[in-house]
Amino acid sequence: MIALLDLFVATATLAIGGCGVVSLLSQRRLSWWEHCALAWFFGTSLVSLSLWIGGLFLRGTALQCTVTGICVLIGVIGLRRLRASGSKQREASGTRFEFVLVMLFAVELIAMFWASFQDTLGWDGLVVWEIKARYAFLNGGVIPSAFFSDASRSFANPHYPLLLPLTETWFYLWLGDSNQFWIKLIFPIWCGAAMSILLVAGEELSGERIVGWVVALLFPLAPCLHNKPGGFQVGYADAPLGAMYVAAGFYLLRFIRDGSRDAMVLFITLAALLPWMKPEGIVLWSTISLCGAVALRIKGRPWASVAASFLPGLTLIVLWQIFLACVHESSAKDFVFPTFGILSRNIHRVGGILDHTIRELTALRHWGIFWLLVGLAMCGIVVPWRRPRAAVLMWLFLVPFVCYCASYLVSALDYVWHMDTSLRRHFVQLVPTAWLLVALAIARRKPTEEQN
Amino acid sequence: MDRRLGPLLQIPWPTATLTNTLAQLPDDCSLVIVYPKDSEECDFVRCAIGYLSWPRKIGEVRLALGENSRPVVSEHTAFLFCGLPLPNVPNAQRTQIGPNVVLLSAP
């Protein structure tokens, strides 16, 4: 019972801070679904960044109190600003059918919690992510600097960023124990956040709320997302990364549609946080930022604004690299720098990569018919070519997809083994975005669509 | 962790048992894990022991079938044998952790 209370306090402080950040970034009130999802994304980012930066100066109770203070302070400032703005919340229709769908949403989420508690944390969930949370917890909320330079623990990938481990640390600090059972509670929340964003994004893209509900409710049903390594239940960073990526992509699409300042700030901030989740986040951040830069320019923003849109993400990436250099992190990297020589030497891998990719996409026990659906959706979008949102969505999906597959050309490991262990998880990151392709494809075409 | 390690090590509370056993070693004592080559289970055991043995440095020796090791146990180096027969090491303290796991440390 005490553990549940501790978990509630940890979640509440994190959510208050996250709500505050949402209110500070967005002048207009968002829908309840968006607000909850964003509060979780920004709350986890705020807590992990505060623990990381605060941990350079403080530790133990002082650090925990400081981070709590930051969350509460930002929450209060955000709430005041929200009240002062006086704008109304975007509300759903509230029909009986909508109520049934909300119930279905809740049932799926509860099932995800159940699946999480049935399963153990996966291999990487334990020895790549949770290990850092445990060491930080044992060291007063700060990962010992000796850990980063300990070559004998390179299996834990010390160079991976800390959003997930320090969020876990936050829960451990409140629990007073590094408890691998209770920590599984946080992963289904990422799933709920992704579903919420898909609901809103699906509705906005298609113009029909039911399409939003269809993609949101079907999203967690692909086997890979709930009972295979890489899903929400095993404590990996891939599914949460996918959830944040689809949110960033959605606000980019909203910015392209209405050019609002809120959507611009949200897509830039969310994209900037992607490299803080996992190294692959840099690929996703680059994909969104490049597309965002083009959109900003087309909307008539000055070049300075376009350049400034890269700054938050770039700052975070550079700060993390400086930190790693300061703590003498030197673990062997999985990829080598792509030079012409290396690419020509490894060109023979192309066949193997294609073969492996096709086998993965068609593995029904991993994905069901999900990728078939996505393939059909892409054909449905390309044939009547709905610009520009379709083009943007295709970009957001295809660029990382191709980059992930091509990355095995420069893998420093046995590339077949490397693909066996990581390709599926890379695809998990793109699942929410792929669902938006499906939403766009099943939307009824309207006369205005061609110009939109 | 227990649910994954339990079947591999065949001991009831592997996390607590290993943590308590390793706690007997001084913090500056390195731990060398000796285990069979090409064993995915032992790979996980190695990572799990690395996880539990912090802040001690860890090393590893992978032995192919028929290969032997000659561990040199000292105050600063202990050896953990996983899934391999134990060689005869004089002047070393043996701690049987489970049917397949033995710790060799300085007496």
Side-chain angles (χ1 to χ4, degrees):
Chain A
M1 201 61 198
I2 294 289
L4 286 176
L5 188 68
D6 292 334
L7 289 169
F8 173 76
V9 177
T11 313
T13 43
L14 186 150
I16 288 168
C19 279
V21 176
V22 178
S23 306
L24 289 173
L25 293 178
S26 172
Q27 289 172 342
R28 204 177 49 145
R29 276 205 189 190
L30 304 167
S31 71
W32 186 84
W33 297 99
E34 286 172 271
H35 211 102
C36 288
L38 293 179
W40 180 254
F41 294 148
F42 289 131
T44 50
S45 306
L46 177 68
V47 161
S48 55
L49 283 168
S50 304
L51 279 175
W52 177 47
I53 295 167
L56 300 174
F57 312 101
L58 302 165
R59 69 180 53 193
T61 312
L63 178 62
Q64 193 178 351
C65 291
T66 306
V67 176
T68 306
I70 291 170
C71 287
V72 172
L73 185 70
I74 291 179
V76 169
I77 295 171
L79 191 69
R80 279 185 171 185
R81 192 177 155 163
L82 199 68
R83 280 188 180 158
S85 75
S87 61
K88 281 189 177 175
Q89 188 129 27
R90 296 163 156 207
E91 286 301 343
S93 59
T95 60
R96 191 172 291 179
F97 185 55
E98 177 95 4
F99 179 75
V100 172
L101 294 170
V102 172
M103 285 296 110
L104 268 176
F105 185 103
V107 167
E108 282 193 5
L109 208 53
I110 290 166
M112 191 58 88
F113 276 104
W114 184 81
S116 288
F117 285 126
Q118 291 300 308
D119 220 330
T120 59
L121 289 174
W123 182 322
D124 278 14
L126 279 170
V127 301
V128 172
W129 302 107
E130 199 268 344
I131 188 173
K132 293 162 190 157
R134 177 184 158 94
Y135 291 175
F137 168 73
L138 295 173
N139 193 42
V142 184
I143 298 177
S145 59
F147 167 75
F148 294 99
S149 54
D150 182 356
S152 68
R153 282 180 178 78
S154 59
F155 63 81
N157 288 316
H159 62 285
Y160 276 21
L162 302 177
L163 193 155
L164 195 54
L166 290 183
T167 301
E168 292 177 332
T169 304
W170 181 245
F171 282 82
Y172 286 169
L173 288 173
W174 280 102
L175 277 168
D177 181 23
S178 55
N179 188 310
Q180 292 168 354
F181 176 77
W182 286 118
I183 203 59
K184 292 187 284 184
L185 177 92
I186 67 171
F187 296 97
I189 304 179
W190 290 102
C191 178
M195 288 167 76
S196 303
I197 290 292
L198 280 174
L199 167 61
V200 182
E203 181 188 3
E204 248 182 64
L205 276 177
S206 64
E208 293 171 67
R209 190 152 179 87
I210 188 66
V211 175
W213 275 113
V214 167
V215 293
L217 293 175
L218 288 179
F219 162 67
L221 300 186
C224 246
L225 292 187
H226 62 261
N227 72 358
K228 291 278 183 294
F232 285 103
Q233 85 292 358
V234 286
Y236 291 12
D238 303 278
L241 180 64
M244 278 176 76
Y245 182 56
V246 77
F250 163 56
Y251 287 105
L252 171 61
L253 288 166
R254 184 181 274 181
F255 172 70
I256 288 168
R257 193 195 63 178
D258 60 18
S260 78
R261 175 226 164 252
D262 285 359
M264 180 188 74
V265 172
L266 286 172
F267 96 71
I268 291 173
T269 315
L270 282 163
L273 293 169
L274 296 170
W276 184 231
M277 176 70 85
K278 216 184 165 197
E280 290 97 304
I282 296 176
V283 173
L284 302 178
W285 166 76
S286 314
T287 305
I288 287 208
S289 296
L290 284 172
C291 196
V294 174
L296 284 163
R297 194 67 200 126
I298 289 172
K299 294 276 179 192
R301 309 275 166 147
W303 280 109
S305 300
V306 175
S309 72
F310 286 89
L311 269 184
L314 208 55
T315 308
L316 199 51
I317 293 167
V318 170
L319 280 179
W320 178 242
Q321 292 306 319
I322 291 173
F323 173 79
L324 289 178
C326 289
V327 293
H328 309 294
E329 190 281 327
S330 60
S331 59
K333 302 293 182 284
D334 294 345
F335 298 97
V336 293
F337 189 77
T339 61
F340 184 73
I342 286 172
L343 288 174
S344 58
R345 198 163 57 240
N346 291 343
I347 198 73
H348 68 277
R349 294 181 180 180
V350 170
I353 292 170
L354 280 175
D355 176 57
H356 208 106
T357 304
I358 292 166
R359 273 194 288 126
E360 181 58 42
L361 294 177
T362 51
L364 292 179
R365 67 196 170 91
H366 295 157
W367 298 102
I369 57 161
F370 173 67
W371 291 112
L372 173 69
L373 212 59
V374 174
L376 290 173
M378 287 168 83
C379 295
I381 291 170
V382 169
V383 173
W385 197 246
R386 301 165 182 204
R387 293 183 308 154
R389 287 183 297 165
V392 171
L393 254 184
M394 293 283 256
W395 168 272
L396 294 181
F397 174 74
L398 286 176
V399 170
F401 184 91
V402 172
C403 284
Y404 287 159
C405 294
S407 67
Y408 297 103
L409 283 173
V410 289
S411 169
L413 313 168
D414 168 9
Y415 85 97
V416 176
W417 175 84
H418 202 174
M419 288 190 87
D420 270 336
T421 54
S422 61
L423 185 67
R424 190 180 312 144
R425 284 183 274 144
H426 284 153
F427 289 165
V428 165
Q429 297 168 15
L430 301 176
V431 169
T433 307
W435 272 115
L436 287 190
L437 286 168
V438 176
L440 194 61
I442 57 178
R444 244 183 316 188
R445 293 187 67 201
K446 295 171 186 163
T448 54
E449 187 72 43
E450 296 301 329
Q451 287 85 47
N452 193 4
Chain B
M1 181 78 88
D2 276 349
R3 271 170 64 179
R4 284 176 161 268
L5 268 183
L8 298 177
L9 300 182
Q10 296 168 32
I11 44 179
W13 301 103
T15 307
T17 310
L18 279 166
T19 306
N20 292 339
T21 310
L22 297 174
Q24 293 163 13
L25 302 173
D27 281 359
D28 63 349
C29 178
S30 301
L31 183 68
V32 180
I33 305 160
V34 189
Y35 63 103
K37 231 177 201 172
D38 304 325
S39 163
E40 200 168 312
E41 286 89 0
C42 288
D43 250 353
F44 179 74
V45 172
R46 175 187 64 97
C47 291
I49 290 168
Y51 173 107
L52 294 169
S53 58
W54 177 260
R56 294 162 200 88
K57 297 259 184 233
I58 53 167
E60 59 173 358
V61 177
R62 299 177 187 214
L63 295 181
L65 201 67
E67 259 186 318
N68 290 317
S69 71
R70 292 176 181 276
V72 182
V73 176
S74 72
E75 274 180 22
H76 299 290
T77 314
F79 286 78
L80 193 76
F81 277 75
C82 301
L84 284 171
L86 199 63
N88 186 23
V89 183
N91 303 325
Q93 182 181 315
R94 290 170 57 144
T95 311
Q96 189 86 34
I97 300 174
N100 301 317
V101 186
V102 181
L103 177 71
L104 288 181
S105 58

